[in-house]
Amino acid sequence: MVSLPIPHSTVQTKVTRCADTARAGDSDEPRESHAGKGVLSWSLKVSQVGGDLLKFLKLEELVLSANRIKEVDAANLPPMLKVLELYGNELSSTECLCAHPPPGLQHLGLGQNQLRSPSESRYLTASHWPNLVSLDLGFNDLTDLRAMVAALRSLGRLRLLVLQGNPLALLPHYRGFTVDSLARLCVLDDVTVSPHERHQFRGLGQQGDLLPQDAQLVVTVGNIRGVVDSSVLDPEPGPKGPFVAYSYYVTYDFLGGEDGEASEHGGVLAEVVKPRSSAQLLGEELAEDLAEESLASVETTEQKSESSVVSGCSAARPPFSASGEELGKLRPRMDPRLCPSPGTVPFSTDHKPWANVIACNYEAQHSIRDLGLLKGFLLAGTTVTIMEEKAATCLQILSWPVVTPPVDSPQGAKKGKGEDDKKKKEKDRKDWKGKAEEPPQERKASHKKREAPKELCQDPPTLQALGSGLVALEPLLAGEAVVSTVCNFGVIRTPESDRLTFARDSKIKKGAKKEKTKSAAPIFESDYQPEQLTVEVEIQLGQVRSVEEALRAVANQARAE
């Protein structure tokens, strides 16, 4: 650790040098305040403050920002000091400043340090800082709002306060609770406290024990534009397939539970949406019909066939008793860009079919208890990805089972079989009678069921990331309530793909007028530019606007529990 006590000659120069020399532009020279009351600014990666400052009894302003100071011995500070700025250092506690603090200090700037202990509030009381008017604790790691506000109540002269950038400022009731608790406060986080705001939050400071200690964030995903219709690039399927279906959705990573599962952590209310089975996208009615026919054919046989004919599919769907390795082969092939950041889990919107404008209509609320972890996540941002899922399905035709002719048993084994044969004949007679009474249509249907069974066979879904990018969430730490953006991933369409899509759509619209078709054709001129791939994303930090809204949230939480 570098220890550089401030040289006496440098301090002497900074305090006594005349103002016109300072205005000459020499950045290493000091600035002088009025009537010999100096201003000392020092930034050379200093790690400690020596006792040489005590020689300047009239020094009122000391700026030691952007250094490497981890501890300040308050006994080395000038007694007449009114302004002390220690921004951008490595202070982990303010305890060192409370041994012999300057009694007349009016402004204390401790922003962008490493203050995180819950006990920090004990060192920010009137017993240590009786004349403090302005306090800046912004962008530290303080998490206990109630303890901090309780300590700041004792500062009777405090008028300006900065707490934004701390995890505690992410709570929904942060501003209202602070404003109502500190009645003399004029400015909070560089925003003036108006009389109307005080009226809106009157009484909220007395509800500290009831207020939830979770941060609330709402993620909204709007429209996707500029997606290429991949289905027009595939060949026409044969009678047995493969039948290909495409679906599109958006993924983003967000904080999960302690074990990485959102469902096991009470702080995350949104549900992790996993990729759906492709059978839902490939004709559920066809799948049900084929399953019924296959089940009926199996029930009419006593033995299973050992041979089957597979056509048009790369792999058959395993039975429900398949091993874990076989089932693992059917998991979607994941794009490496889908891997979430450490400590986060992926969330996704519902799967949607292709459209020129795909409306996701997605909204999820996330409730996070660990405020320190949330601050780190907001600093890192979230990755938003537009996904394409391709699912291929084909028909698998099974051969009829080979029925083995009955083998005559030895004479000695026919003991007591006469009664069994008799019962069997009666049962066959009843079955024959029942079939004779069946209407012709039912007999025809039962005969149809004896056709060779068919089974739906599907390949593992293939996932492809069409576009991926980082959404910066740091503005939520700096006091913004909403981060709203349109993620632009460039152009992935081509004029040729758009032309094929247009041709396909015009064939589907049989009743369309010729005038409409002609008017749509000029979009494919030489200067035609396909639409860019974009998605609308919004992340909103929950904030209560009145005491009624805060109490309503408390009541809703109580009912949910």
Side-chain angles (χ1 to χ4, degrees), residues 87-98:
Y87 294 100
N89 282 283
E90 300 175 9
L91 292 171
S92 59
S93 177
T94 55
E95 183 179 5
C96 58
L97 291 170
C98 296

Side-chain angles (χ1 to χ4, degrees), residues 384-397:
V384 175
T385 307
I386 300 178
M387 295 300 303
E388 176 189 76
E389 180 178 302
K390 176 183 178 181
T393 301
C394 59
L395 296 180
Q396 174 183 350
I397 303 178

